[in-house]
Amino acid sequence: MESLNMATTLIVNIGEFFTGDLKEPVGDVTSVRIDGDRITALNPPADTVRDRTIDAHGSAVMPGVIDGHVHPVFGEWTPTQNTIGWIGNYVHGGTTSMVSAGELHVPGLDYNNLTPELMTSLALLAKATTGRVRWGGAKVHAGTLLMVPGMTEEKFDKVSAAGTILTKFLFYPLAPENREEALRYVGWCHDRGLRVKVHTGGVSRSGSNAVCGYETLSWLQPDIAAHISGGPIPMPDDDLDALVDHTEFALEICSSGNYRSAIRAVERLAKAGRLDRLTLGTDTPGGTGVLARGMLRNMTFLSSVCGLSAGEVIAVATGNTAKAHGLDTGMLKPGMPADLVIAGRIDGSAGTTLTEAIEHGDLPGISTVMIDGQLVVSGRSEQTPPPQERATIELTYGCPFCA
Ligand SMILES: [Zn+2]
């Protein structure tokens, strides 16, 4: 970590530039100016006065990856696998922001006795602890409210005041007799700017949620249908097709699911010209374990197997996922936070560029990860092989050891 809080940084010699914007995923950009924590110019004048120069040596720059579905518990400890340090490792896999889909893996939590008070307390505790600290530099949006029957509007006030951004129907019995209350919850969330996510498909690791498919989602109208290809069990194919064809909200694909269902959903969305609805996550840790390169694996899968271009899949994993969750990040343009990854083709990969490697299904090699203008990974990632060309950092003034 470094202390150039308000410094001007210029990234130069960019070979490929991915915007994170699905409408125009690749840009003709060879340099980026960053002032403090924000991007202030693309292709600034070459003689721009700066404190620091990052030479990309022809490698690619893309927005920091956003994992739209993680399950933190206590900081970087994931009790399900009894491992530690997962968030920092995810940052080395290019993930700069992550959104909790609920802190349900707390040891000893009794899924058969989840009261409104307990679930609200759990969200507040997670927000005040895991969600308070930048673990490994990452922006972790924790404190997701897992809704249960009998909640009053005051509970939504409390989590909203604490800074929660997401609520989720997971344990909630989405049966016809509860429809009125569930829709009231959705209204209360939207009144406060909280996004609503719903567990879809079969029963989760907890073993205590109901099956959720097209019928429920069509009346509930959440903001995001979680892991539509399974988390871990997908909804039936007909439901998946109807979801793509007859709804408008965001549809999430996670590593936890069924690959065949993922191909079906992604190909159908692409054919309909609706990739703007697609978001990505890992649904890890939890039952699926820790996947430090999980987001990169999802991206190479969607590109090499489901046919998305490298630019499209990067936009899905960054701009799309940020937008669906209301995050102020995910695109590289002036005014946006400097959350970015410098990566390249790994020696031995297919093709000659990162685009060609990703479209062949090959993992990118990461050399640099920046969050809010701060270098959190430099030199090389501990989680990917090094890229052929590594970005180097040069200070205009001062001590090279501070970089
Ligand atoms: Zn989940």
Side-chain angles (χ1 to χ4, degrees), residues 69-71 101-102 104-105 168 170 199 204 226-227 231 252 254 256 283-285:
H69 195 130
V70 294
H71 288 290
L104 68 153
H105 298 295
K168 192 175 174 199
L170 168 61
H199 172 96
S204 78
H227 46 61
E252 176 186 88
C254 286
S256 54
D283 201 359
T284 64

Side-chain angles (χ1 to χ4, degrees), residues 9 20-21 24 30 36 43 51 64 95 107 134 140 145 183 186 200-201 253 300 368 398:
T9 302
D21 184 352
E24 208 176 343
T30 56
N43 291 325
D51 303 293
T95 298
R134 289 258 179 117
V140 181
L145 179 65
L183 289 173
V186 173
T200 74
I253 300 277
T300 50
T368 307

